[in-house]
Amino acid sequence: MFYFVHIHVGQALEHFKINNAHFRINSECSFICNERYQLRGFPSVTCQIDRAMENGLGWSGPIPGCEPVCPAAPKVENAVVACDSATDIGSVCKYVCKRGFELLGRPTTTCLLDVTDSTANWEIGLPRCQRTCDKPIEIENGAVSCQDAVDNQS
């Protein structure tokens, strides 16, 4: 004898892909989140006998959720980036310019949740790295005086 159960797709399954609509006992459902979402919870559940349920069947565990994640941290030319967590909301990435370059702008960017469409992305306004010359060394029996250009080219 086969038992069927329906998954009622609700808000918790908003960002899932499910391939089937009817399930027999011992059927397994695997959950895959859409692009730019990460699965939180168990990746699969099995249809099993559950006397507490009205139809006598239930899932082996709670239905997981899909949480938004940031894409890879944006690259900044001539800089290296280090992040405390590469994709989680609230993650902070710090940029450090390579030798011979100076950082212009904020040195960090944060992964933020866009409440208008429930996606995550990095803050707007990345720094840039501008080419610089090291200060010339002092000369014997003399002095060094330098004047910084107002608008250097990168």
Side-chain angles (χ1 to χ4, degrees):
M1 179 185 274
F2 294 105
Y3 295 94
F4 289 93
V5 66
H6 296 277
I7 282 191
H8 299 284
V9 178
Q11 194 171 12
L13 298 178
E14 184 177 358
H15 303 288
F16 281 115
K17 293 177 183 170
I18 299 177
N19 297 331
N20 208 342
H22 300 280
F23 304 95
R24 297 179 207 137
I25 199 165
N26 294 325
S27 293
E28 184 175 90
C29 288
S30 297
F31 299 94
I32 300 168
C33 294
N34 294 339
E35 188 176 338
R36 295 191 54 196
Y37 288 86
Q38 179 176 324
L39 189 68
R40 298 288 187 190
F42 294 107
S44 64
V45 292
T46 303
C47 180
Q48 61 188 19
I49 294 172
D50 184 346
R51 302 209 189 285
M53 300 300 289
E54 187 177 325
N55 67 352
L57 294 177
W59 296 106
S60 60
I63 303 299
C66 290
E67 295 179 358
V69 293
C70 268
K75 294 190 184 307
V76 171
E77 193 173 350
N78 298 306
V80 292
V81 62
C83 303
D84 55 9
S85 169
T87 60
D88 291 340
I89 293 172
S91 297
V92 176
C93 291
K94 182 175 182 175
Y95 294 91
V96 177
C97 293
K98 295 177 182 175
R99 187 176 188 89
F101 292 85
E102 124 182 87
L103 188 85
L104 300 176
R106 288 191 350 238
T108 61
T109 185
T110 304
C111 176
L112 301 173
L113 176 66
D114 183 343
V115 294
T116 60
D117 63 0
S118 294
T119 60
N121 218 331
W122 298 100
E123 291 181 280
I124 297 171
L126 292 175
R128 67 184 184 99
C129 292
Q130 177 175 287
R131 196 182 324 248
T132 61
C133 288
D134 292 334
K135 181 178 177 183
I137 59 172
E138 296 290 329
I139 58 172
E140 195 173 321
N141 301 315
V144 176
S145 175
C146 300
Q147 184 176 359
D148 195 20
V150 176
D151 188 31
N152 288 339
Q153 293 179 335
S154 6

